[in-house]
Amino acid sequence: QVQLHQWGAGLLKPSETLSLTCAVYGGSFSGYYWSWVRQPPGKGLEWIGEINHSGSTNYNPSLKSRVAISVDTSKNHFSLKLSSVTAADTAVYYCARKDYFYHYMDVWGKGTTVTVSS
Amino acid sequence: EIVLTQSPGTLSLSPGERATLSCRASQSVSSSYLAWYQHKTGQAPRLLIYGASSMATGIPDRFSGSGSGTHISLTISRLEPEDFAVYYCQQYGGSPLTFGGGTKVEIK
């Protein structure tokens, strides 16, 4: 059974860079897109972007200038970096496995709460 | 960007009642790329339906999805206590992937 375990810093100051990593256990790393999704307090879900095992990425245009998603296939890890954070980036961040063909997300990490505050 | 509009925003129902949730897209999306999720506070979202009408693994058969093009629906035939949550539709017929604003199903 595939599981995603995610971690990273939970408290940042404005202008710092958010950095989260997600490890994939118990399944194939290839044949999927690996996504990041966030949920600001009191709001809905927002897709941040995705990467496949060969490093091909897609990003939400609203965040594209500040986002970088990378992959380390030797460790079955993928990572999110979001630069120049502000209070608006305060959210619960989830990693998720996305089906390559039907684009649904069927396996999710437990979420990491990231707070941006001075 | 394809905008998904969910209605109603909140649905107040009692256990045992039927829930029907609506999701409308700003432009037509292939049914293959439409999904529904259940989200409870403090938990990760849970995939319910993909391809507009296919049930994800382990999902009870009281959940069903229908529709195509610009309008899909999620139906919960008889609400169980554990079904009270927020539900989101999602599309990736066109980048970026987007979610609807959510429908909260609350206990009446």
Side-chain angles (χ1 to χ4, degrees), chain A residues 35 37 39 43-47 50 58-61 94 98 101-106 108-111, chain B residues 1 32-35 37 39 42-47 50-51 88 90 92 95-101:
Chain A
S35 285
V37 175
Q39 183 180 36
K43 297 188 177 181
L45 300 170
E46 179 182 33
W47 178 73
E50 64 189 8
N58 294 299
Y59 297 131
N60 191 323
Y94 297 98
K98 187 165 80 66
F101 297 105
Y102 295 102
H103 304 299
Y104 55 79
M105 288 173 275
D106 60 342
W108 294 70
K110 292 187 175 182
Chain B
E1 174 175 319
S32 298
Y33 309 135
L34 291 161
Y37 300 84
H39 194 197
Q43 298 184 18
R46 176 191 183 197
L47 175 69
Y50 66 93
Y88 294 95
Q90 173 240 303
Y92 203 6
S95 188
L97 184 152
T98 54
F99 293 91

Side-chain angles (χ1 to χ4, degrees), chain A residues 29 36 51 55 57 59 68-72 77-81:
Chain A
F29 199 68
W36 290 96
I51 192 167
T57 55
Y59 297 131
I69 298 176
S70 59
V71 66
D72 184 341
H77 288 182
F78 62 106
S79 298
L80 168 70
K81 289 192 185 300

